[in-house]
Amino acid sequence: MDLNQFFEWQRAKKERHVSIELGDPIEHKKVSIWCYDYGLQVGQYVKSVDEVDLEKKKEDEERREFERLQRKFIEQK
């Protein structure tokens, strides 16, 4: 795993943040990587930089909210 790729991803846009945690009391080899975009207000845990797709995650969240609101306001009539 090349952690420099996360550094480059983060530097590509001012609103991005990456948090990397190594190890925990039970699993000392654990690697936890959280990527977040403050502009999109969405984040995700990933194993590689290729998995980061916050735009899609935001779109999926918006679609679910849109469908929820449709059910609430349109389908009630």
Side-chain angles (χ1 to χ4, degrees), residues 13-65:
K13 189 176 171 187
K14 266 188 170 181
E15 300 170 323
R16 291 180 176 172
H17 171 77
V18 176
S19 177
I20 300 172
E21 293 183 17
L22 304 173
D24 67 22
I26 298 171
E27 189 179 343
H28 72 280
K29 292 183 180 183
K30 180 180 178 179
V31 177
S32 177
I33 303 170
W34 173 253
C35 296
Y36 191 83
D37 186 307
Y38 287 99
L40 296 172
Q41 296 184 342
V42 68
Q44 72 183 119
Y45 283 101
V46 295
K47 298 280 186 206
S48 80
V49 76
D50 297 330
E51 295 176 22
V52 180
D53 193 350
L54 299 179
E55 290 83 6
K56 181 181 181 327
K57 185 168 183 185
K58 178 70 172 182
E59 184 177 316
D60 291 346
E61 287 178 2
E62 289 174 336
R63 184 172 312 283
R64 282 192 301 275
E65 178 66 5

Side-chain angles (χ1 to χ4, degrees), residues 3 6 10 17 24-25 27 40 44 67 70 74:
L3 298 180
F6 290 101
Q10 183 269 327
H17 171 77
D24 67 22
E27 189 179 343
L40 296 172
Q44 72 183 119
E67 290 168 354
Q70 274 187 315
I74 295 174

